[in-house]
Amino acid sequence: PNEPPENWSWVNGNQTEACMLAFIVRCYGVDIERAREARKTEIVKLYPFDSQVKRSGMLMKLPSGKYRLYTRGAAERILAECKTQFNEGKESPLDKTKVEEQMNAMSNTGLRTIGVSYRDFDDVKTDEEGKIVDPPNVQDRVLLTILGMKDPLREDSAESVRLCKGAGIIVRMVTGDHLNTAKYIARDCGILTNDDQIAMEGIKFRTMLEKDKEALVKMLP
């Protein structure tokens, strides 16, 4: 929520994570404070958001002595690292094609898709001082969920774009969102206005030859 109630003292810090907490409170009636008090796991290390891999993480020590790494980030990146999914209280086979269809359905309506996964480890590597030196292996994770999150445009965004264009300024958008989400937002604020204009991922643009880039830039909105 944009303005959570005052008694939601736990809604602070990262807005994405705050919205995820608000979602489970509103839709599933989870008591966050009670859940935190009852938690018997220990937070061992936090991995801040890395824009290169588009994810962040939290390593926890479980009561059994094993470790669990939770990861949150761009849904397509998280899904690519998962082999199974958590469904109805247990791990089960993962149908990536079906999940990708659901992700595309969300991103095509302008929703940001966030993936959450985990992986358990018997042990983790530490240095001589007992500090964890490397993030655990990121492959073969268990998919927990895919969330669709709406990040509304500011009310004056479309008008600002219109005024810039009227003044002869070329407006282009660069974002870390999924390509479908970015195209929806670009249409919504008047940047992408017809099918002849091009929207593409940065990784593809960076691999192009310079002469091809120059030709392509002329076709961008």
Side-chain angles (χ1 to χ4, degrees):
N2 293 327
E3 297 180 3
E6 293 182 1
N7 62 327
W8 287 14
S9 59
W10 45 266
V11 181
N12 53 47
N14 184 284
Q15 291 186 344
T16 298
E17 293 174 353
C19 285
M20 292 168 67
L21 289 174
F23 171 76
I24 63 172
V25 168
R26 287 180 166 176
C27 296
Y28 298 101
V30 176
D31 186 326
I32 296 295
E33 295 294 356
R34 182 174 296 179
R36 284 175 171 168
E37 291 173 1
R39 186 185 69 203
K40 297 181 180 179
T41 53
E42 174 191 352
I43 298 176
V44 177
K45 186 172 183 178
L46 297 175
Y47 297 95
F49 183 78
D50 185 335
S51 60
Q52 295 297 317
V53 293
K54 295 186 178 181
R55 65 168 177 261
S56 60
M58 176 188 293
L59 183 65
M60 308 187 77
K61 189 171 184 178
L62 305 176
S64 64
K66 293 186 177 182
Y67 294 83
R68 175 169 293 176
L69 177 65
Y70 287 101
T71 307
R72 171 188 68 82
E76 65 274 13
R77 296 290 186 95
I78 297 296
L79 180 62
E81 298 167 350
C82 293
K83 265 197 171 181
T84 57
Q85 63 180 345
F86 190 80
N87 187 32
E88 298 183 354
K90 61 181 180 180
E91 292 183 23
S92 60
L94 173 62
D95 185 343
K96 289 192 176 184
T97 299
K98 184 177 180 179
V99 176
E100 287 171 348
E101 289 174 353
Q102 295 170 335
M103 287 165 48
N104 287 332
M106 288 189 282
S107 61
N108 284 335
T109 59
L111 297 180
R112 292 172 54 209
T113 52
I114 309 294
V116 183
S117 67
Y118 75 90
R119 181 178 172 181
D120 291 339
F121 300 87
D122 292 329
D123 202 357
V124 293
K125 295 180 179 180
T126 57
D127 60 18
E128 295 178 354
E129 298 178 355
K131 296 181 180 180
I132 297 172
V133 293
D134 295 312
N137 190 343
V138 297
Q139 300 300 316
D140 302 340
R141 298 175 185 268
V142 181
L143 181 67
L144 279 173
T145 188
I146 300 291
L147 297 167
M149 189 174 298
K150 184 70 172 180
D151 191 4
L153 285 174
R154 291 177 53 174
E155 293 182 1
D156 59 351
S157 296
E159 178 63 11
S160 297
V161 171
R162 188 189 68 80
L163 291 173
C164 286
K165 286 186 173 182
I169 300 172
I170 298 174
V171 181
R172 289 178 178 142
M173 185 174 78
V174 179
T175 175
D177 286 329
H178 186 280
L179 183 60
N180 290 343
T181 304
K183 289 167 69 174
Y184 182 95
I185 295 171
R187 291 191 189 99
D188 211 20
C189 63
I191 296 175
L192 196 62
T193 57
N194 64 69
D195 293 337
D196 292 330
Q197 295 172 325
I198 291 177
M200 67 187 307
E201 295 178 326
I203 189 170
K204 183 177 180 180
F205 182 78
R206 289 190 291 272
T207 58
M208 296 176 66
L209 298 174
E210 288 300 322
K211 62 181 181 65
D212 294 328
K213 289 181 180 179
E214 293 176 3
L216 178 65
V217 166
K218 297 177 181 178
M219 301 175 65
L220 293 172

